[in-house]
């Protein structure tokens, strides 16, 4: 029989499944193999999903299952889409009514199927959508948009919004994800838009692919210039090549060009960039100010229109925003809501990799344990401090029978931490240090590990004086920064900016601090060595050396070579390291 859920259109023989492995031909009837089974059910705010021009700041109930109808390399949700065992005890079984009841109990305005694709759990989502609509809730999803005409038509009466991720506008873009071509995607955007469903579109911006983004912007503009386009600056995780990552400035340039075609274009994965805000398409007045809120997410910080006002406060232009701005703000718990959840699972995987755990079954067992025992909240606390971090490593060591490896890793780390702490304790004048992610005004949250590393290495974190909160931080003003006058600035190794661009940003923003005048702004020499995996020990050594070159002298490449050989059994090659917390190298393979 032919599956009509998505346009891959599998022919499924009796008792077999299609390409996604989610549906079985059961005596001529298509049956969902894992119905009503969720990996995530938790509240989330609209901008975290993200939707930008739809019920700003409103609280929705996120539901995510497992699996995907696509198989794309470099997927940021790969752990959810491909890796979680469908029989895992971490999964929750809930009827559609139980899901809806939870949304009502949590005072959500609606339900949103996010992170993996609803086409992988089509019948489950359809039933939840019907039940939610009956009880007055909004319903939406993010999807690759590969609905057949039949499934789009069946689902659309229950759908209020959809965020469609566009891979590109060539058949080759879709073939690389296991799909035959791109045609169904613009067709479905047009269809949902014509049915009055709020549509936003999202696309990746990879280095050197400006034309692709512009082509997508132009295709959307042909449908409606009011459809918001979310440009996701590419973060190379999974097995992606780090050279595909554009700088924030390059992505800001393409956003500016796309704004010539569309009224609302947003730039994600670019902390501190104004590209995440909403401006009036006619006069440029700031309407919604947002913060970066983890990969693929944002947080509404300030609205310059209230309630269900639509007019630009300066020129009166009628903005295309659906729904009123919620007066209350919902802050997700640590690692909850959208993609930060997948980063949490990656952090666990990254820790396991360093104690030699490479098999999927053990990794899945540790995820399972963490998801069941409120472990993600504990993990978030534990990774900010060495002693608790060492406890976490030992804990994962005992869960996987790798106690000696865990002990070896903690000893290696303790030895270096103690050496740095002992020498740093004798330093009388500790430089004022600012830790930033992306661009100069995005200050990392003051309790995060990176700021702890600064203090360990003999610096004084000014992020603590700025009392920055947020996830992973918040935007501060140039005035506040100038007043604290940091002598050194470190840029997070998760989202770096070329130093020339960084100095230009400082100049344009009027940041004249000591660190700028004395050219003491540092990127880390290796990606992802200050958070997210035990490789932060390399970041600590690098920070100590930059702060006090008279006391600390480390060859980071040589130290990385030792670390990689000892703990991953790999030769260190800088060109193989990307922004993944989980995988130390693109050559790292997990085993079945
Ligand atoms: S949903 Fe798509 S990938 Fe899965 S069986 Fe149906 S046609 Fe194939």
């Amino acid at each position: 029989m032919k599956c009509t859920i998505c346009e891959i259109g599998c022919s499924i023989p009796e008792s077999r499944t299609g390409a996604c492995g989610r549906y079985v031909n059961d005596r001529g009837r298509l049956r969902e193999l894992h119905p009503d089974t969720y990996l995530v059910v938790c509240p989330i705010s609209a901008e975290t999903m993200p939707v930008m021009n739809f019920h700003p700041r409103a609280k929705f109930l996120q539901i995510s299952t497992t699996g995907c109808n696509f198989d794309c390399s470099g997927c940021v949700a790969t752990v959810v889409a491909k890796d979680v065992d469908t029989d895992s005890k971490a999964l929750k079984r809930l009827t559609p009514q139980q899901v809806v009841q939870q949304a009502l109990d949590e005072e959500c305005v609606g339900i949103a199927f996010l992170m993996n694709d609803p086409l992988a759990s089509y019948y489950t989502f359809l039933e939840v959508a019907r039940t939610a609509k009956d009880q007055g809730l909004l319903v939406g999803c993010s999807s690759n948009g590969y609905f057949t005409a039949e499934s789009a038509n069946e689902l659309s009466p229950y759908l209020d919004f959809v965020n469609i991720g566009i891979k590109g506008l060539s058949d080759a873009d879709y073939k690389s994800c296991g799909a035959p071509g791109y045609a169904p995607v613009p067709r479905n955007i047009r269809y949902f838009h014509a049915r009055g469903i709020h549509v936003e579109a999202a696309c990746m911006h990879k280095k050197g692919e400006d034309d692709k983004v512009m082509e997508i912007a132009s295709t959307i503009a042909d449908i409606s210039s009011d459809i918001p386009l979310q440009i996701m600056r590419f973060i190379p995780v999974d097995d992606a090549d780090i050279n595909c990552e554009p700088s924030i400035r390059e992505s800001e340039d393409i956003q500016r060009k796309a704004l010539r075609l569309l009224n609302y274009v947003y730039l994600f994965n670019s902390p501190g960039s104004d590209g995440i805000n909403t401006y009036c398409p006619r006069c440029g007045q700031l309407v919604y100010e947002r913060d970066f809120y983890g990969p693929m997410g944002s947080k509404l910080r300030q609205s310059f229109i209230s309630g269900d006002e639509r007019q630009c406060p300066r020129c009166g232009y009628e903005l295309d925003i659906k729904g009123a701005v919620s007066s209350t703000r919902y802050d997700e718990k640590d690692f909850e809501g959208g993609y930060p959840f997948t980063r949490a699972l990656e952090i666990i995987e990254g820790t396991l990799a360093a104690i030699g755990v490479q098999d999927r079954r053990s990794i899945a067992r540790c995820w399972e344990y963490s998801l069941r025992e409120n472990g993600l909240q504990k993990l978030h606390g534990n990774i900010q401090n060495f002693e608790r971090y060492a406890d976490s490593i030992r804990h994962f060591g005992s869960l996987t029978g790798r106690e000696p490896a865990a002990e070896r890793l903690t000893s290696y780390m303790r030895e270096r931490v103690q050496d740095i702490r002992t020498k740093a304790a004798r330093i009388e004048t500790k430089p004022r240090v600012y830790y930033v992610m992306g661009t100069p005004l995005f200050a990392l949250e003051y309790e995060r590990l990176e700021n702890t590393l600064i203090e360990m290495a003999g610096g004084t974190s000014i992020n603590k004086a700025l009392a920055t909160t947020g996830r992973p931080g918040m935007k501060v003003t140039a005035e506040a920064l100038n007043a604290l006058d940091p002598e050194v600035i470190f840029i997070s190794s998760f989202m770096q900016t070329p130093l020339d661009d960084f100095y230009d940003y400082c100049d344009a923003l009027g940041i004249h601090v000591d660190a700028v005048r004395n050219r003491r702004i540092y990127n880390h020499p290796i990606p992802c060595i200050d958070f997210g995996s035990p490789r932060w020990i390399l970041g600590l050594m690098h920070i100590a050396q930059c702060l006090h070159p008279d006391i600390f002298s480390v060859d980071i490449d040589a130290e990385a070579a030792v670390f990689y050989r000892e703990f991953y059994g790999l030769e260190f090659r800088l060109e193989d390291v990307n922004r993944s917390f989980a995988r130390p190298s693109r050559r790292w393979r997990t085993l079945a």
Side-chain angles (χ1 to χ4, degrees):
M1 70 176 295
K2 187 171 156 84
C3 172
T4 55
I5 291 172
C6 96
E7 286 280 4
I8 292 176
C10 301
S11 288
I12 312 179
E14 172 62 33
S15 304
R16 305 287 290 274
T17 58
C20 61
R22 307 285 302 176
Y23 306 98
V24 65
N25 176 349
D26 187 356
R27 284 165 288 178
R29 199 178 63 87
L30 204 58
R31 182 166 58 80
E32 190 176 329
L33 270 176
H34 311 285
D36 303 322
T37 306
Y38 299 92
L39 182 62
V40 178
V41 181
C42 71
I44 185 169
S45 48
E47 293 77 11
T48 316
M49 294 192 218
V51 280
M52 308 298 266
N53 287 17
F54 187 79
H55 292 262
R57 208 189 265 138
K59 184 160 72 157
F60 288 79
L61 190 74
Q62 171 186 348
I63 53 174
S64 311
T65 61
T66 55
C68 189
N69 57 328
F70 277 19
D71 183 14
C72 314
S73 124
C75 169
V76 74
T78 188
V79 293
V80 177
K82 300 182 203 165
D83 295 341
V84 175
D85 186 347
T86 48
D87 294 323
S88 168
K89 293 188 187 67
L91 299 172
K92 304 177 181 88
R93 270 102 195 150
L94 296 171
T95 64
Q97 183 53 42
Q98 284 173 318
V99 172
V100 168
Q101 195 55 51
Q102 185 165 340
L104 294 169
D105 292 347
E106 303 259 16
E107 299 181 337
C108 297
V109 300
I111 293 176
F113 194 116
L114 307 170
M115 225 153 55
N116 68 320
D117 207 288
L119 289 167
S121 298
Y122 177 70
Y123 298 119
T124 290
F125 182 47
L126 185 63
E127 258 333 287
V128 168
R130 275 194 189 120
T131 313
K133 271 276 117 224
D134 279 352
Q135 293 173 60
L137 291 173
L138 297 165
V139 176
C141 64
S142 42
S143 169
N144 50 43
Y146 227 57
F147 296 89
T148 57
E150 199 174 326
S151 59
N153 187 42
E154 187 176 36
L155 187 61
S156 57
Y158 313 106
L159 216 51
D160 298 285
F161 67 95
V162 60
N163 179 354
I164 294 191
I166 305 176
K167 310 286 170 199
L169 290 172
S170 75
D171 288 345
D173 291 320
Y174 280 83
K175 282 193 166 59
S176 68
C177 294
Y182 79 97
V185 178
R187 182 198 73 205
N188 283 328
I189 293 177
R190 190 179 291 278
Y191 175 78
F192 287 133
H193 179 72
R195 302 240 4 200
I197 293 164
H198 175 77
V199 181
E200 302 202 7
C203 67
M204 279 299 164
H205 177 220
K206 287 188 181 177
K207 200 177 185 75
E209 294 193 351
D210 294 14
D211 291 350
K212 189 186 268 189
V213 175
M214 289 309 292
E215 203 187 335
I216 289 170
S218 163
T219 302
I220 294 167
D222 283 347
I223 301 168
S224 166
S225 55
D226 278 332
I227 293 178
L229 175 64
Q230 305 168 359
I231 298 178
M232 303 290 169
R233 191 177 69 89
F234 183 63
I235 308 174
V237 294
D238 196 20
D239 57 357
D241 184 344
I242 192 135
N243 294 313
C244 296
E245 179 181 346
S247 67
I248 292 175
R249 180 185 266 182
E250 286 166 334
S251 291
E252 286 177 332
D253 286 346
I254 195 67
Q255 179 192 24
R256 264 190 292 276
K257 286 185 194 148
L259 273 166
R260 291 182 203 144
L261 303 174
L262 293 164
N263 288 329
Y264 308 96
V265 181
Y266 298 105
L267 178 60
F268 284 77
N269 302 337
S270 307
S273 170
D274 288 338
I276 200 71
N277 297 334
T278 301
Y279 296 92
C280 170
R282 186 160 70 192
C283 73
Q285 162 72 28
L286 178 60
V287 178
Y288 296 129
E289 188 182 17
R290 302 186 183 85
D291 267 335
F292 166 81
Y293 201 60
M296 320 295 175
S298 68
K299 179 63 77 181
L300 182 60
R301 182 188 175 112
Q302 203 178 353
S303 170
F304 293 88
I305 52 175
S306 55
D308 52 8
E309 278 174 11
R310 293 287 167 275
Q311 277 79 27
C312 165
R314 188 200 284 167
C315 74
Y317 179 89
E318 186 79 14
L319 299 154
D320 192 39
I321 310 282
K322 318 261 183 349
V325 184
S326 169
S327 53
T328 51
R329 172 182 161 124
Y330 175 71
D331 284 321
E332 292 78 4
K333 289 189 211 150
D334 299 323
F335 288 139
E336 276 196 351
Y339 292 94
F341 173 83
T342 68
R343 301 302 278 173
L345 298 187
E346 273 202 62
I347 288 172
I348 296 171
E349 190 174 344
T351 305
L352 293 171
I355 57 172
V357 178
Q358 220 167 340
D359 67 292
R360 295 243 56 89
R361 192 178 288 268
S362 301
I363 295 166
R365 201 168 54 243
C366 291
W367 284 345
E368 216 166 74
Y369 182 88
S370 299
L371 289 166
R372 275 162 47 208
E373 304 293 323
N374 196 26
L376 294 192
Q377 304 300 313
K378 282 186 216 152
L379 179 74
H380 190 268
N382 288 355
I383 57 179
Q384 320 295 350
N385 157 301
F386 175 66
E387 279 69 28
R388 292 204 306 266
Y389 195 90
D391 289 344
S392 282
I393 294 172
R394 282 194 213 95
H395 165 70
F396 287 124
S398 73
L399 274 180
T400 56
R402 306 276 310 170
E403 290 91 342
E407 212 42 65
R408 230 179 28 253
L409 177 62
T410 50
S411 299
Y412 170 96
M413 294 177 83
R414 187 182 309 105
E415 205 177 285
R416 279 144 186 86
V417 165
Q418 271 173 1
D419 177 57
I420 289 173
R421 274 182 174 156
T422 306
K423 289 175 181 159
R426 293 198 286 267
I427 296 166
E428 284 175 7
T429 312
K430 300 191 172 179
R432 296 181 302 281
V433 183
Y434 175 51
Y435 223 118
V436 66
M437 187 177 267
T439 55
L441 294 180
F442 194 84
L444 278 177
E445 192 254 333
Y446 73 96
E447 284 186 332
R448 270 180 70 108
L449 174 69
E450 295 90 332
N451 294 317
T452 307
L453 300 184
I454 295 297
E455 307 253 322
M456 273 194 217
T460 302
S461 165
I462 70 149
N463 295 54
K464 299 200 172 174
L466 283 165
T468 41
T469 55
R471 193 178 81 174
M474 61 186 270
K475 212 166 161 181
V476 296
T477 63
E479 294 72 38
L481 203 53
N482 283 332
L484 288 166
D485 196 22
E487 296 160 278
V488 182
I489 297 175
F490 281 96
I491 308 171
S492 156
S493 68
F494 176 49
M495 294 222 179
Q496 294 184 323
T497 296
L499 288 181
D500 286 349
D501 285 5
F502 199 91
Y503 282 107
D504 287 349
Y505 279 122
C506 289
D507 193 36
L509 292 163
I511 296 169
H512 310 300
V513 298
D514 195 297
V516 176
R517 288 194 302 275
N518 293 313
R519 312 284 292 180
R520 292 196 71 193
I521 299 176
Y522 299 101
N523 267 321
H524 284 277
I526 304 169
C528 274
I529 56 164
D530 54 355
F531 184 81
S533 88
R535 296 194 297 280
W536 64 250
I537 194 69
L538 302 172
L540 173 65
M541 289 185 251
H542 177 242
I543 291 169
Q545 177 170 264
C546 292
L547 292 183
H548 304 289
D550 47 329
I551 300 173
F552 299 103
S553 168
V554 189
D555 178 341
I556 292 294
D557 281 349
E559 196 67 45
V562 170
F563 191 93
Y564 270 64
R565 218 172 298 126
E566 178 73 18
F567 299 109
Y568 303 126
L570 282 178
E571 287 308 307
F572 171 70
R573 295 198 332 184
L574 182 57
E575 62 273 26
D576 288 336
V577 184
N578 66 16
R579 308 276 177 217
S580 172
F581 295 159
R583 301 175 62 149
S585 158
R586 294 173 65 210
R587 286 177 294 135
W588 179 259
R589 292 281 169 266
T590 45
L591 310 170

